[in-house]
Amino acid sequence: MFENEYDVIVVGAGHAGSEAAAAAANLGSKTLLVTMSLQNIAQMSCNPAMGGIAKGQIVREIDALGGYSGIISDKTAIQFKMLNKSKGPAMWSPRVQSDRMRFAEEWRLMLEQTPNLDFYQEMVKGLLIENGKVKGIRTSLGVEIRSKAVVLTNGTFLNGLIHIGEKQFGGGRAGESAAFGITEDLVKAGFEAGRMKTGTPPRVDGRSLDYSKMNEEKGDERPDKFSYSDVTQSLKHQKSCHMTYTSDLVHDILREGFDRSPMFNGRIKSIGPRYCPSIEDKINRFADKERHQLFVEPEGWNTVEVYVNGFSTSLPEDVQFKALRSVAGFENVKFFRPGYAIEYDYFPPTQLKHTLETKLVEGLYFAGQINGTTGYEEAASQGLMAGINAHLKINEKEPLILKRDEAYIGVLIDDLITKGTEEPYRMFTSRAEYRTLLRQDNADFRLTPKSFEIGLASAERMKRMEFKQRESNKLVNFFKETSVSVAEVNPILEAKESALVNQSDKMFKILSRPQINLEDVMKFEKVQEYLSQNDLDREVLEQAEIQVKYSGYIDKERNNADKLTKLEDMKIPENFDYNKIKSMSIEAKQKLSKIRPVTISQASRISGVSPSDISVLLIYMGR
């Protein structure tokens, strides 16, 4: 059947569980992945896409660390877009439209080829906990499997309840049953639990749509890819998405069903995602808007199934159907299945350490929606970090903790465990103080050396990263040292309506101008000569251009980050008694005692802890 004892058991095989299992196994831990359905490993339960604003940066970071999400996104992409190209590179965010069926299939095939990884299909009913340590799991058949660490990545399955209009039934996802028993075990062990909600739109038959009434949304002319490795290639062919709009008529039809909506009649009491609201929530909250965008997204290369992005709903199916038929291009729409909302258990993440290990039970890790997050990318990154840290702990090695100036993953985890969340947490670029440093183009520079050091990123990846870093630095130095003549530069400056020069100038200075780009500089004879002698790919050229154009911003942000690092180095003793400090506010004492921050910097980010509380703490600690 399987072995009786493992190093790491991962419960749940969604995006978090799949990355956790891959990371632990690739690092050398004997790992078991337990799921209720081996057919649905890494299922895209919601939209068939990876990446987007800030999320694309996270996928690049997962890839730089040696995770699988980037590679699988590339292998199964049907369209690629770099979002925010009109803004600075700190805002650029890669996104792919994915082939849903191939995405799940590719994940399963990659996991099956991963050494040290076993699989088992059954529901996990409870945990084996002895003397404050996790010792394994208990399944619904009563089978006990022991391990040194357990990673829980249960997603929306913990006591999951699906709502469609007046109807409700248990389930973790359409067509799949909910999981019971784990929440009860954790509450018994002293954990605090809560409920959250998320939703999904109807899936429709693409053959019943009239695309001539919609706007075509094509991919990039020169598509890039997610993975820094060379095992994947950029897309040669792409599939279009389309866009249409709701209208006043559609909104009126939807409002007719509000009294039957579980959102408005009180059956759903939990909070849903603020930044991905249901269509009924949108027309209620933004009553002044005459229309809302709907993105019509194909589910794959060969299927006719279509995802209606922007029409997430839990209204009765007859209301959903009638309203969608009033949308331009959807007049003859046929449903594959209606949209629905799902309520599920989560555990406020202030109960975790930075490693994602729980504070209450040693060796137990939480990752993904169980921590109150929403999104495949957020879940996958937590799974990766939990899998890495579970392996490192059982091998008595230092944990891998990413700081806020090192990765969006660091921002995500620090936000969760320091501030907690009462609504589904989604990553945005605005959540990061150092977004000029945390760009999608340099995730390999930031993270591959760290991953290589612990044995996850391969030597091949490390070599590739070092080549890119070396060659881009060489090109930047070439621009700094090489001058261009007035006769050669002025015609280009004039064409770009940039101020002319009256003497030769360094290329670095010319390329630093906002109107000038790398293609302009590549017209210079000395640059053409340099490129003919050095075989440089697009990644190296783009990296050099960003370093030239944004060197001032990058240096400034690095200096700010270095100043704050001093606070990160100020550790607070593990069992520090905050109640001893008389001049600290009661709220600060309560929050600090509950969250137990590891450093002064983390303490300063806790909601309700003021700068004066931090000053008092520093004085008390003798600083």
Side-chain angles (χ1 to χ4, degrees):
M1 189 161 76
F2 47 76
E3 298 188 31
N4 276 347
E5 185 144 354
Y6 287 87
D7 294 321
V8 178
I9 293 174
V10 178
V11 180
H15 300 264
S18 297
E19 286 286 8
N26 280 323
L27 283 165
S29 280
K30 197 164 68 169
T31 306
L32 178 68
L33 181 59
V34 189
T35 173
M36 293 199 291
S37 171
L38 285 169
Q39 269 56 54
N40 293 324
I41 284 176
Q43 180 78 281
M44 291 180 135
S45 312
C46 209
N47 63 323
M50 286 292 279
I53 308 295
K55 292 166 174 278
Q57 282 88 328
I58 289 176
V59 178
R60 281 266 163 103
E61 290 177 354
I62 292 169
D63 183 74
L65 286 163
Y68 286 172
S69 289
I71 291 171
I72 288 163
S73 296
D74 287 344
K75 285 185 172 182
T76 60
I78 63 175
Q79 188 193 86
F80 182 94
K81 268 190 175 181
M82 186 67 80
L83 306 180
N84 280 344
K85 276 294 272 190
S86 61
K87 298 179 180 176
M91 297 291 123
W92 296 355
S93 300
R95 181 184 191 270
V96 297
Q97 200 66 32
S98 302
D99 186 312
R100 184 193 298 274
M101 287 186 282
R102 288 200 54 231
F103 186 91
E105 178 191 32
E106 195 65 45
W107 251 113
R108 175 161 176 170
L109 295 176
M110 275 191 81
L111 288 173
E112 286 182 358
Q113 290 157 29
T114 300
N116 304 315
L117 183 55
D118 289 351
F119 302 86
Y120 186 52
Q121 178 173 299
E122 215 206 305
M123 185 196 290
V124 173
K125 198 87 175 165
L127 298 167
L128 307 177
I129 298 170
E130 297 167 15
N131 302 319
K133 290 184 179 179
V134 76
K135 296 292 182 182
I137 59 164
R138 187 175 56 258
T139 73
S140 56
L141 293 176
V143 178
E144 291 193 353
I145 313 168
R146 298 185 79 79
S147 67
K148 296 170 187 166
V150 172
V151 183
L152 291 185
T153 69
N154 306 77
T156 59
F157 284 77
L158 289 182
N159 294 323
L161 188 63
I162 290 173
H163 297 266
I164 303 175
E166 300 96 331
K167 305 174 187 79
Q168 56 184 56
F169 46 91
R173 183 160 55 207
E176 294 178 66
S177 62
F180 304 102
I182 291 178
T183 296
E184 293 70 20
D185 262 20
L186 290 172
V187 169
K188 207 186 297 174
F191 285 91
E192 178 194 340
R195 293 284 276 176
M196 274 190 182
K197 168 193 99 77
T198 190
T200 190
R203 310 302 200 271
V204 303
D205 188 334
R207 296 169 300 182
S208 65
L209 304 180
D210 183 352
Y211 291 107
S212 68
K213 294 182 178 177
M214 307 180 200
N215 302 326
E216 188 178 8
E217 300 278 314
K218 292 183 176 181
D220 288 350
E221 274 183 38
R222 291 174 63 205
D224 204 337
K225 63 192 188 82
F226 268 121
S227 183
Y228 291 104
S229 70
D230 53 8
V231 298
T232 61
Q233 305 298 320
S234 298
L235 281 168
K236 298 285 181 285
H237 309 286
Q238 300 188 73
K239 195 159 182 166
S240 289
C241 296
H242 287 80
M243 187 171 70
T244 184
Y245 296 89
T246 61
S247 62
D248 282 337
L249 173 61
V250 175
H251 298 176
D252 288 343
I253 295 168
L254 290 167
R255 284 190 192 97
E256 285 172 23
F258 277 11
D259 60 330
R260 297 164 63 199
S261 163
M263 261 192 62
F264 294 122
N265 62 20
R267 268 202 305 282
I268 292 180
K269 294 185 172 66
S270 44
I271 300 171
R274 176 191 298 263
Y275 303 104
C276 186
S278 63
I279 188 68
E280 53 265 43
D281 199 17
K282 277 194 275 197
I283 64 174
N284 189 46
R285 274 165 52 191
F286 309 109
D288 55 321
K289 287 210 168 182
E290 291 174 10
R291 62 180 195 170
H292 294 281
Q293 291 175 332
L294 298 180
F295 293 96
V296 184
E297 301 178 340
E299 297 256 333
W301 285 114
N302 302 313
T303 180
V304 297
E305 190 172 356
V306 166
Y307 179 88
V308 191
N309 196 342
F311 205 88
S312 176
T313 182
S314 57
L315 284 163
E317 66 276 20
D318 57 316
V319 177
Q320 294 183 33
F321 184 65
K322 189 179 171 189
L324 258 190
R325 281 217 151 177
S326 300
V327 171
F330 280 73
E331 293 82 359
N332 299 303
V333 70
K334 292 179 181 176
F335 271 27
F336 272 15
R337 72 161 193 246
Y340 61 87
I342 180 164
E343 282 189 288
Y344 54 92
D345 293 340
Y346 87 105
F347 290 81
T350 49
Q351 301 172 98
L352 304 175
K353 300 175 183 176
H354 270 97
T355 56
L356 297 180
E357 184 184 20
T358 66
K359 293 171 184 172
L360 270 177
V361 177
E362 194 179 341
L364 178 63
Y365 295 76
F366 291 173
Q369 284 184 275
I370 190 170
N371 290 336
T373 59
T374 177
Y376 310 143
E377 304 82 0
E378 289 88 342
S381 67
Q382 292 170 69
L384 177 74
M385 297 308 291
I388 288 171
N389 281 312
H391 166 85
L392 293 173
K393 184 183 173 84
I394 61 180
N395 287 281
E396 297 179 354
K397 292 182 177 174
E398 281 294 305
L400 179 64
I401 294 168
L402 301 175
K403 295 177 184 163
R404 294 181 75 91
D405 64 329
E406 291 177 330
Y408 272 95
I409 298 172
V411 175
L412 167 72
I413 293 172
D414 185 65
D415 274 358
L416 289 174
I417 70 162
T418 303
K419 300 172 184 172
T421 187
E422 289 172 2
E423 59 183 54
Y425 178 102
R426 176 184 173 175
M427 180 49 74
F428 286 102
T429 48
S430 58
R431 293 193 192 270
E433 313 87 305
Y434 308 115
R435 50 188 178 273
T436 310
L437 302 179
L438 309 183
R439 306 183 310 276
Q440 53 82 32
D441 60 88
N442 71 350
D444 52 346
F445 293 173
R446 292 184 274 120
L447 302 175
T448 298
K450 291 178 182 293
S451 186
F452 178 69
E453 202 177 307
I454 61 168
L456 187 55
S458 65
E460 184 55 44
R461 272 185 180 264
M462 191 64 184
K463 255 188 251 167
R464 194 176 163 84
M465 184 281 293
E466 287 171 339
F467 172 82
K468 176 180 157 186
Q469 196 166 42
R470 187 172 61 247
E471 292 305 315
S472 57
N473 287 343
K474 262 170 64 181
L475 183 53
V476 171
N477 287 330
F478 169 78
F479 289 141
K480 282 180 177 174
E481 292 161 6
T482 311
S483 298
V484 62
S485 69
V486 173
E488 203 175 0
V489 73
N490 272 345
I492 291 169
L493 296 178
E494 193 173 1
K496 286 297 184 87
E497 296 180 352
S498 187
L500 304 184
V501 296
N502 50 23
Q503 59 184 44
S504 62
D505 214 341
K506 296 289 189 229
M507 288 185 190
F508 187 94
K509 209 168 167 189
I510 300 298
L511 184 52
S512 299
R513 295 187 180 200
Q515 306 90 337
I516 304 301
N517 57 39
L518 190 64
E519 284 178 14
D520 298 321
V521 174
M522 283 164 82
K523 292 170 186 168
F524 300 146
E525 203 176 307
K526 287 175 185 171
V527 176
Q528 288 172 2
E529 199 178 301
Y530 182 92
L531 294 177
S532 69
Q533 293 166 3
N534 299 273
D535 184 22
L536 304 181
D537 61 20
R538 197 163 108 193
E539 267 188 46
V540 171
L541 296 172
E542 184 182 86
Q543 188 55 230
E545 182 177 20
I546 289 168
Q547 283 183 37
V548 171
K549 286 191 133 1
Y550 296 90
S551 60
Y553 299 105
I554 292 167
D555 292 345
K556 191 177 175 185
E557 208 156 271
R558 183 74 270 154
N559 287 338
N560 289 342
D562 289 344
K563 282 176 196 166
L564 279 174
T565 301
K566 290 171 186 167
L567 291 179
E568 285 292 355
D569 293 338
M570 288 188 196
K571 297 274 189 283
I572 301 172
E574 202 171 327
N575 297 313
F576 190 87
D577 185 358
Y578 295 98
N579 292 316
K580 283 182 185 171
I581 309 177
K582 293 190 173 66
S583 47
M584 184 181 273
S585 71
I586 293 168
E587 185 184 3
K589 287 180 196 176
Q590 288 172 344
K591 295 274 181 73
L592 290 164
S593 299
K594 182 182 178 185
I595 292 166
R596 309 228 56 92
V598 178
T599 66
I600 292 289
S601 182
Q602 189 197 348
S604 71
R605 293 190 292 273
I606 296 171
S607 169
V609 177
S610 70
S612 61
D613 292 321
I614 295 297
S615 299
V616 169
L617 179 57
L618 283 168
I619 292 163
Y620 199 86
M621 283 173 61
R623 298 297 179 121

